[in-house]
């Protein structure tokens, strides 16, 4: 009779564990049904029920193939005038949203450059007042060139122009 009692104890334990897992799973899926998390144009988001607190997580990556044909007068190593390969030089991660109110927004964006090191590009907060004015502080791009104000994922060209690169004040704090 002793082995039968031990088997019943394990069976009861397994049933209790299964019930606990089901309860936990139903609690987690109800968060999705309430609309407090999901995906939209801003990326994946998590928000409270009121919308006063929200975080959106997203990013972009540019992946391209380069081919360089040169005269044979200037060989580089064993390439003999032809260099080619894939490049992933622009991988951005971003988090944005609002805190305490829909009027207080923030954005943090960094870039893994061609060397693989991470650099902070933009990190700012903005408060929108009722009269249409807003106050913005942190590190961001000054609105000097329209070409610079358009994010790289929305540009038609591969890179920005040399004129913009020369005169661009870059990020400001």
């Amino acid at each position: 009779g002793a082995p039968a009692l031990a088997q019943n104890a394990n069976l009861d334990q397994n049933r209790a564990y299964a019930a606990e897992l089901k309860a936990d799973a139903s609690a987690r899926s109800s968060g999705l049904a309430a609309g407090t998390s999901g995906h939209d144009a801003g990326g994946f988001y998590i928000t409270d029920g009121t919308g006063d607190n929200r975080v959106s997580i997203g990013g972009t990556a540019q992946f391209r193939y380069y081919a360089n044909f040169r005269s044979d007068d200037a060989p580089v190593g064993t390439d003999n005038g032809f260099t080619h390969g894939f490049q992933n030089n622009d991988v951005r991660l971003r988090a944005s949203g609002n805190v305490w109110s829909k009027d207080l927004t923030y954005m943090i964006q960094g870039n893994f450059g061609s060397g693989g090191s991470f650099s902070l590009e933009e990190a700012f907060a903005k408060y929108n007042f009722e009269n249409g004015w807003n106050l913005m502080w942190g590190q961001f791009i000054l609105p000097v060139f329209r070409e610079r104000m358009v994010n790289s994922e929305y540009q038609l060209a591969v890179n920005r122009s040399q004129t913009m690169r020369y005169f661009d004040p870059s990020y400001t704090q």
Side-chain angles (χ1 to χ4, degrees), residues 94-163:
R94 108 180 27 99
S96 61
N98 55 296
V99 179
W100 294 311
S101 163
K102 292 181 181 177
D103 294 326
L104 182 59
T105 60
Y106 64 90
M107 201 266 286
I108 301 168
Q109 177 174 286
N111 191 348
F112 291 95
S114 58
S117 61
F118 184 77
S119 63
L120 180 68
E121 290 184 339
E122 295 189 69
F124 63 84
K126 181 168 69 170
Y127 186 80
N128 296 315
F129 293 100
E130 292 178 5
N131 57 4
W133 288 81
N134 62 51
L135 176 66
M136 187 169 160
W137 63 94
Q139 178 174 311
F140 50 90
I141 299 170
L142 286 177
V144 176
F145 290 104
R146 167 82 173 127
E147 180 181 359
R148 184 70 163 119
M149 295 302 297
V150 176
N151 287 335
S152 61
E153 62 261 28
Y154 300 119
Q155 283 195 334
L156 296 177
V158 174
N159 287 322
R160 302 187 193 279
S161 69
Q162 291 300 321
T163 305

